Amino acid sequence: MTTRAVVRLAVADDAEAVATVRAIVAPYKVMSAAATRHLITVQSPKERFLPLVADREGEIVAWASAGINVWTSQPGQAHLSIYVHPDHRKQGIGSELAERLHQHLTEVGAVRVRSFVQPDGLEFARNLGYDGTRQMHFAGLDLTAHLPEQPETPAGIELVALDSVDPRTAYTADTIASLDEPSDSPLDSVDYDQWLEEVWNSPSVDRSLSVGAMAGEEMAAFTVVETAGDRMWSGMTGTVPAYRGTGLAKLVKSVALRRAAAAGITSAYTSNDDENGPMLAVNNWLGYRRVQTELGLLKTL
Ligand SMILES: CC(C)(COP(=O)(O)OP(=O)(O)OC[C@H]1O[C@@H](n2cnc3c(N)ncnc32)[C@H](O)[C@@H]1OP(=O)(O)O)[C@@H](O)C(=O)NCCC(=O)NCCS
């Protein structure tokens, strides 16, 4: 008989195994071992982040985490996610992880939890009291194939790589654009130092491939490229309101995808809320094809 999996706190040295489990469960998400290590180890104390693994005789068979969303002004908003390796399901591991995480969230004062599940995890989540109708579409693009023609750069706009700009300029554009990203809790309380640590200095972000569109001193639009081997993920694309609808998101993403392809990246992935019409229009135009839809659910504690 196989030994029971033991749930324990995840540590930095689990990063590689956790990244492997994540890649098996959700191959359309892009996260390197270095980025996973960053996720496990670099969190603001206010987030009360709890990373767990299920360990079966030294083999990591599941990963789960939960914490408080500290980037919204709404108090007590939490997030939770669980990845159980397909060969180790239906053995109570997911339920044990969920119980541990909900217990923790209750103790640290969370009032509402958001989770995204694959369609085959819907019943599991509903049985835990999750409900909702939000949809998150994941889409992929083969960068070795043809990309649409790069749009003209409008007069007064200068394209830059993000490694050549002051992070404050990028932070300003990111926090302004993020206010309009569809979500249950507004992203309206992003601390600069924490943004620097978690976003700007994230080991997955390649600032030399990430592109900004500058209008004088102001960043009008930008797109962030994260990489893991020969795959890339679009961390965030945003255009500040005054410049929307002028083709800048299409432009910066076109340029970034070309730079990534030239750097040897062969596939690109991204995710969009079903309600994000403009971003879906940009990605459809670029040629992204849908590979998975996850369901966004909420549970009140
Ligand atoms: C999404 C966003 C980056 C688009 O930036 P933008 O510079 O205005 O984009 P572009 O001008 O390059 O292209 C916008 C496209 O959306 C289309 N569009 C605009 N509003 C739309 C809507 N409500 N429904 C569908 N399509 C829409 C436009 O017609 C245009 O497509 P077209 O050129 O084929 O006509 C910008 O709206 C934004 O910053 N939003 C908030 C942050 C966000 O949600 N980022 C994405 C996170 S995944």
mmCIF file of all heavy atoms in Angstrom, residues 24-25 56 59 61 84-91 93:
data_model
loop_
_atom_site.group_PDB
_atom_site.id
_atom_site.type_symbol
_atom_site.label_atom_id
_atom_site.label_comp_id
_atom_site.label_asym_id
_atom_site.label_seq_id
_atom_site.Cartn_x
_atom_site.Cartn_y
_atom_site.Cartn_z
ATOM 1 N N ILE A 24 1.954 20.432 -14.975
ATOM 2 C CA ILE A 24 1.166 19.251 -15.379
ATOM 3 C C ILE A 24 -0.322 19.575 -15.282
ATOM 4 O O ILE A 24 -1.105 19.251 -16.169
ATOM 5 C CB ILE A 24 1.551 18.033 -14.510
ATOM 6 C CG1 ILE A 24 2.967 17.569 -14.883
ATOM 7 C CG2 ILE A 24 0.544 16.890 -14.670
ATOM 8 C CD1 ILE A 24 3.590 16.591 -13.916
ATOM 9 N N VAL A 25 -0.715 20.252 -14.219
ATOM 10 C CA VAL A 25 -2.136 20.551 -14.013
ATOM 11 C C VAL A 25 -2.605 21.666 -14.965
ATOM 12 O O VAL A 25 -3.703 21.592 -15.525
ATOM 13 C CB VAL A 25 -2.401 20.956 -12.542
ATOM 14 C CG1 VAL A 25 -3.844 21.380 -12.341
ATOM 15 C CG2 VAL A 25 -2.044 19.800 -11.605
ATOM 16 N N ARG A 56 4.419 12.996 -0.710
ATOM 17 C CA ARG A 56 4.278 11.545 -0.537
ATOM 18 C C ARG A 56 5.659 10.930 -0.664
ATOM 19 O O ARG A 56 6.205 10.857 -1.761
ATOM 20 C CB ARG A 56 3.309 10.986 -1.589
ATOM 21 C CG ARG A 56 3.182 9.479 -1.549
ATOM 22 C CD ARG A 56 2.019 8.970 -2.366
ATOM 23 N NE ARG A 56 0.800 9.030 -1.595
ATOM 24 C CZ ARG A 56 -0.417 9.227 -2.112
ATOM 25 N NH1 ARG A 56 -0.564 9.394 -3.408
ATOM 26 N NH2 ARG A 56 -1.481 9.251 -1.336
ATOM 27 N N GLU A 59 7.959 12.904 -2.707
ATOM 28 C CA GLU A 59 7.461 13.378 -4.002
ATOM 29 C C GLU A 59 6.340 14.388 -3.761
ATOM 30 O O GLU A 59 5.397 14.106 -3.015
ATOM 31 C CB GLU A 59 6.907 12.189 -4.823
ATOM 32 C CG GLU A 59 6.485 12.591 -6.222
ATOM 33 C CD GLU A 59 5.601 11.540 -6.913
ATOM 34 O OE1 GLU A 59 5.401 10.446 -6.340
ATOM 35 O OE2 GLU A 59 5.104 11.838 -8.009
ATOM 36 N N VAL A 61 3.104 15.953 -4.607
ATOM 37 C CA VAL A 61 1.972 15.544 -5.442
ATOM 38 C C VAL A 61 0.871 16.611 -5.489
ATOM 39 O O VAL A 61 -0.101 16.451 -6.241
ATOM 40 C CB VAL A 61 1.395 14.185 -4.980
ATOM 41 C CG1 VAL A 61 2.449 13.086 -5.112
ATOM 42 C CG2 VAL A 61 0.885 14.256 -3.538
ATOM 43 N N VAL A 84 -3.737 19.544 -7.607
ATOM 44 C CA VAL A 84 -3.399 18.163 -7.239
ATOM 45 C C VAL A 84 -3.009 17.419 -8.525
ATOM 46 O O VAL A 84 -3.735 17.476 -9.526
ATOM 47 C CB VAL A 84 -4.583 17.439 -6.551
ATOM 48 C CG1 VAL A 84 -4.186 16.003 -6.169
ATOM 49 C CG2 VAL A 84 -5.026 18.203 -5.297
ATOM 50 N N HIS A 85 -1.861 16.754 -8.487
ATOM 51 C CA HIS A 85 -1.401 15.975 -9.650
ATOM 52 C C HIS A 85 -2.498 14.981 -10.047
ATOM 53 O O HIS A 85 -3.059 14.292 -9.182
ATOM 54 C CB HIS A 85 -0.118 15.234 -9.256
ATOM 55 C CG HIS A 85 0.566 14.568 -10.401
ATOM 56 N ND1 HIS A 85 0.021 13.511 -11.085
ATOM 57 C CD2 HIS A 85 1.752 14.834 -10.991
ATOM 58 C CE1 HIS A 85 0.849 13.137 -12.049
ATOM 59 N NE2 HIS A 85 1.906 13.934 -12.018
ATOM 60 N N PRO A 86 -2.804 14.870 -11.351
ATOM 61 C CA PRO A 86 -3.915 14.004 -11.784
ATOM 62 C C PRO A 86 -3.804 12.557 -11.291
ATOM 63 O O PRO A 86 -4.824 11.917 -11.032
ATOM 64 C CB PRO A 86 -3.833 14.041 -13.315
ATOM 65 C CG PRO A 86 -3.089 15.298 -13.631
ATOM 66 C CD PRO A 86 -2.192 15.588 -12.470
ATOM 67 N N ASP A 87 -2.595 12.029 -11.101
ATOM 68 C CA ASP A 87 -2.443 10.641 -10.640
ATOM 69 C C ASP A 87 -2.737 10.476 -9.146
ATOM 70 O O ASP A 87 -2.733 9.361 -8.632
ATOM 71 C CB ASP A 87 -1.002 10.128 -10.877
ATOM 72 C CG ASP A 87 -0.669 10.063 -12.343
ATOM 73 O OD1 ASP A 87 -1.605 10.138 -13.169
ATOM 74 O OD2 ASP A 87 0.544 9.961 -12.664
ATOM 75 N N HIS A 88 -2.932 11.588 -8.459
ATOM 76 C CA HIS A 88 -3.100 11.497 -6.999
ATOM 77 C C HIS A 88 -4.434 12.092 -6.553
ATOM 78 O O HIS A 88 -4.569 12.523 -5.413
ATOM 79 C CB HIS A 88 -1.919 12.191 -6.299
ATOM 80 C CG HIS A 88 -0.600 11.554 -6.624
ATOM 81 N ND1 HIS A 88 -0.023 10.580 -5.845
ATOM 82 C CD2 HIS A 88 0.228 11.727 -7.685
ATOM 83 C CE1 HIS A 88 1.119 10.195 -6.410
ATOM 84 N NE2 HIS A 88 1.296 10.875 -7.521
ATOM 85 N N ARG A 89 -5.393 12.114 -7.459
ATOM 86 C CA ARG A 89 -6.709 12.693 -7.108
ATOM 87 C C ARG A 89 -7.610 11.650 -6.464
ATOM 88 O O ARG A 89 -7.284 10.475 -6.440
ATOM 89 C CB ARG A 89 -7.354 13.273 -8.377
ATOM 90 C CG ARG A 89 -6.538 14.460 -8.866
ATOM 91 C CD ARG A 89 -7.233 15.294 -9.891
ATOM 92 N NE ARG A 89 -6.302 16.378 -10.257
ATOM 93 C CZ ARG A 89 -6.385 17.095 -11.355
ATOM 94 N NH1 ARG A 89 -7.356 16.888 -12.218
ATOM 95 N NH2 ARG A 89 -5.507 18.041 -11.589
ATOM 96 N N LYS A 90 -8.737 12.108 -5.972
ATOM 97 C CA LYS A 90 -9.764 11.259 -5.347
ATOM 98 C C LYS A 90 -9.220 10.497 -4.141
ATOM 99 O O LYS A 90 -9.579 9.359 -3.886
ATOM 100 C CB LYS A 90 -10.340 10.245 -6.367
ATOM 101 C CG LYS A 90 -10.776 10.867 -7.682
ATOM 102 C CD LYS A 90 -12.194 11.365 -7.597
ATOM 103 C CE LYS A 90 -12.641 11.891 -8.952
ATOM 104 N NZ LYS A 90 -13.622 12.963 -8.865
ATOM 105 N N GLN A 91 -8.255 11.121 -3.449
ATOM 106 C CA GLN A 91 -7.705 10.479 -2.246
ATOM 107 C C GLN A 91 -7.799 11.403 -1.047
ATOM 108 O O GLN A 91 -7.125 11.190 -0.040
ATOM 109 C CB GLN A 91 -6.232 10.093 -2.488
ATOM 110 C CG GLN A 91 -6.059 9.070 -3.594
ATOM 111 C CD GLN A 91 -4.592 8.899 -3.983
ATOM 112 O OE1 GLN A 91 -3.697 9.117 -3.172
ATOM 113 N NE2 GLN A 91 -4.357 8.508 -5.220
ATOM 114 N N ILE A 93 -6.714 14.509 -0.855
ATOM 115 C CA ILE A 93 -5.628 15.497 -0.716
ATOM 116 C C ILE A 93 -6.166 16.914 -0.910
ATOM 117 O O ILE A 93 -5.895 17.822 -0.110
ATOM 118 C CB ILE A 93 -4.481 15.193 -1.719
ATOM 119 C CG1 ILE A 93 -3.856 13.834 -1.389
ATOM 120 C CG2 ILE A 93 -3.437 16.305 -1.690
ATOM 121 C CD1 ILE A 93 -2.820 13.351 -2.394
#
